[in-house]
Amino acid sequence: MSYITVREPSEFKRFRLQSGGMLTDEFGRDVTGVRVSLTDRCNFDCVYCHNEGLGDTRGPMDPQDDEMSTDDVVRFLEVAAEFDVDSVKFTGGEPMLRQDLEEIIERTPDQMEVSLTTNGTFLPGRAPDLVDAGLERVNVSQDALDADDFAAVTKSGAYEKVLEGVDAALEAGLDPVKLNMVVFEHTAGYVPKMVDHVAENEGLQLQLIEYMPELTGKPEWNIDIQRVHDWLAEQAVEIEHREMHDRKRYWIENDDGDGRGMVEIVDPVENPTFCANCHRVRVTHEGYLKGCLNRNDDLKSMGEMTKPEIRDAYRDVVENRVPYYGEYMVQNDAGEWEINDEYVGEYAEP
């Protein structure tokens, strides 16, 4: 087994906000990407998600009253491009419940790499059009390889449709297609089968996402993610360490020895290095900016979504971004993580 380190910028120092071009927060983190939620509606009701299965989910439709319009989304992206943002990930809920997704992608500034996180149920029939519009990468949520197990986690009978969606993405030329799997008590036993699946299927990669109990209110479902790291290390023929986020990629050989698949663990919980290298600003479906995925006390309205309002809000959010672990959440004398009152008082809006 070989072990390599990928060196990436990881300095964690305070800098002033740059006066032009790309914006940098006071912790030296350049904002190079945005993550835009297009809706909170979802046709799944996953047990680990506290707000899915919401709203009208009969199928793709025009933006709802509480969702940014097509023009609003595009206007925001045009402003982000002014600040040298070079990537956008569209998320939800289920972003493919937006009928205008292809138009949004097509109108996204050319400098931005476009990716999508989806449950995959609407990819059959739409994947080619999404690629034609400019979609470059896709993450498909898939927590199990058995229909009954899948239904138990997602409260959905759409297992076969998800498999069709993954195939449609591959056939449309999206490469790689990443499968997202949240690892917690319900799914931990499915990991070996999923690892074998990506090792046997060219074009697929696996992202094992650490369960975040503080966001779901079910701490008893948590597992020790280090056990998953240790097991993968035993199986891997090569381990790649990414200094940014302190993340590892494990390359697993298939049974025939003529191919291999990549498995990456996304483990942000109690990981100051992960937060120290976060380079994304988030946008909610209603049109609020936020500097941290884990927080809801740093929301910043973009008003009526005019470009001057968007610019002002974007600058403010970047200027006030605080790493979740290590700054917003700090360890007390007992080694437990607790909210740092300094940042709650200084940055949170009433």
Side-chain angles (χ1 to χ4, degrees):
M1 179 181 68
S2 61
Y3 194 106
I4 62 174
T5 296
V6 177
R7 300 197 179 279
E8 300 172 85
S10 60
E11 289 189 354
F12 192 22
K13 300 178 180 178
R14 295 175 183 263
F15 288 86
R16 292 178 300 170
L17 198 66
Q18 293 178 355
S19 58
M22 183 178 294
L23 298 187
T24 302
D25 66 27
E26 66 170 10
F27 294 88
R29 300 179 299 172
D30 296 334
V31 176
T32 60
V34 290
R35 184 182 181 102
V36 180
S37 173
L38 297 178
T39 181
D40 66 348
R41 295 177 290 121
C42 188
N43 54 325
F44 284 8
D45 192 15
C46 300
V47 297
Y48 53 76
C49 184
H50 64 283
N51 65 349
E52 300 247 315
L54 298 174
D56 193 334
T57 61
R58 290 171 295 177
M61 59 185 68
D62 291 334
Q64 303 299 285
D65 290 343
D66 66 337
E67 296 168 355
M68 288 184 292
S69 70
T70 311
D71 289 341
D72 287 340
V73 176
V74 172
R75 196 177 303 115
F76 165 75
L77 294 174
E78 289 172 346
V79 169
E82 295 174 9
F83 295 102
D84 294 339
V85 168
D86 60 15
S87 67
V88 56
K89 180 180 285 292
F90 293 114
T91 70
E94 174 45 57
M96 292 193 71
L97 284 169
R98 290 281 294 254
Q99 187 65 54
D100 58 347
L101 178 59
E102 288 85 349
E103 180 183 353
I104 290 172
I105 292 174
E106 186 172 14
R107 294 173 60 188
T108 296
D110 291 341
Q111 74 186 59
M112 292 188 184
E113 180 189 59
V114 181
S115 59
L116 175 72
T117 295
T118 173
N119 62 35
T121 54
F122 299 106
L123 279 172
R126 289 182 76 180
D129 289 340
L130 290 168
V131 171
D132 288 345
L135 181 65
E136 298 174 62
R137 295 188 294 110
V138 67
N139 291 53
V140 179
S141 298
Q142 187 176 341
D143 293 302
L145 282 169
D146 173 85
D148 291 338
D149 294 337
F150 183 86
V153 174
T154 64
K155 306 302 179 185
S156 164
Y159 176 71
E160 294 297 332
K161 185 63 70 174
V162 173
L163 296 186
E164 291 177 27
V166 172
D167 288 341
L170 290 169
E171 290 171 7
L174 292 167
D175 184 23
V177 174
K178 291 188 177 183
L179 304 183
N180 283 0
M181 179 182 184
V182 178
V183 183
F184 64 118
E185 185 180 79
H186 296 58
T187 62
Y190 310 152
V191 169
K193 189 174 180 180
M194 189 69 79
V195 170
D196 289 342
H197 178 64
V198 298
E200 295 289 342
N201 289 274
E202 186 177 357
L204 294 184
Q205 295 181 357
L206 179 61
Q207 281 199 150
L208 299 176
I209 301 173
E210 185 178 16
Y211 173 71
M212 304 190 74
E214 65 265 43
L215 301 184
T216 61
K218 295 282 187 179
E220 65 273 19
W221 289 354
N222 194 35
I223 68 163
D224 181 5
I225 200 68
Q226 186 58 47
R227 291 170 52 198
V228 183
H229 276 290
D230 294 342
W231 181 83
L232 284 170
E234 293 175 358
Q235 314 302 315
V237 294
E238 180 177 301
I239 300 174
E240 177 183 325
H241 178 231
R242 300 174 65 196
E243 286 192 339
M244 182 172 291
H245 301 314
D246 193 24
R247 282 160 69 165
K248 291 185 175 69
R249 289 174 171 170
Y250 301 91
W251 295 90
I252 311 295
E253 199 168 65
N254 65 20
D255 288 340
D256 295 331
D258 57 0
R260 59 183 188 170
M262 191 275 283
V263 182
E264 182 171 21
I265 295 184
V266 181
D267 49 357
V269 178
E270 301 187 5
N271 184 350
T273 304
F274 190 99
C275 294
N277 288 285
C278 174
H279 296 278
R280 278 184 181 163
V281 160
R282 271 71 179 179
V283 184
T284 73
H285 67 281
E286 304 121 315
Y288 289 89
L289 288 166
K290 55 188 302 188
C292 176
L293 179 65
N294 291 358
R295 294 174 58 187
N296 289 310
D297 62 354
D298 64 344
L299 294 171
K300 181 73 174 180
S301 173
M302 291 188 280
E304 298 299 316
M305 301 291 297
T306 66
K307 284 194 172 182
E309 289 174 314
I310 296 170
R311 289 187 193 102
D312 288 344
Y314 183 79
R315 288 190 183 98
D316 286 346
V317 163
V318 174
E319 188 172 17
N320 293 327
R321 289 178 80 230
V322 173
Y324 191 71
Y325 289 110
E327 294 294 337
Y328 183 80
M329 296 286 287
V330 293
Q331 286 182 298
N332 60 25
D333 293 340
E336 301 166 332
W337 290 90
E338 60 184 21
I339 292 177
N340 183 353
D341 291 334
E342 173 190 349
Y343 284 117
V344 174
E346 184 177 353
Y347 293 107
E349 293 188 354

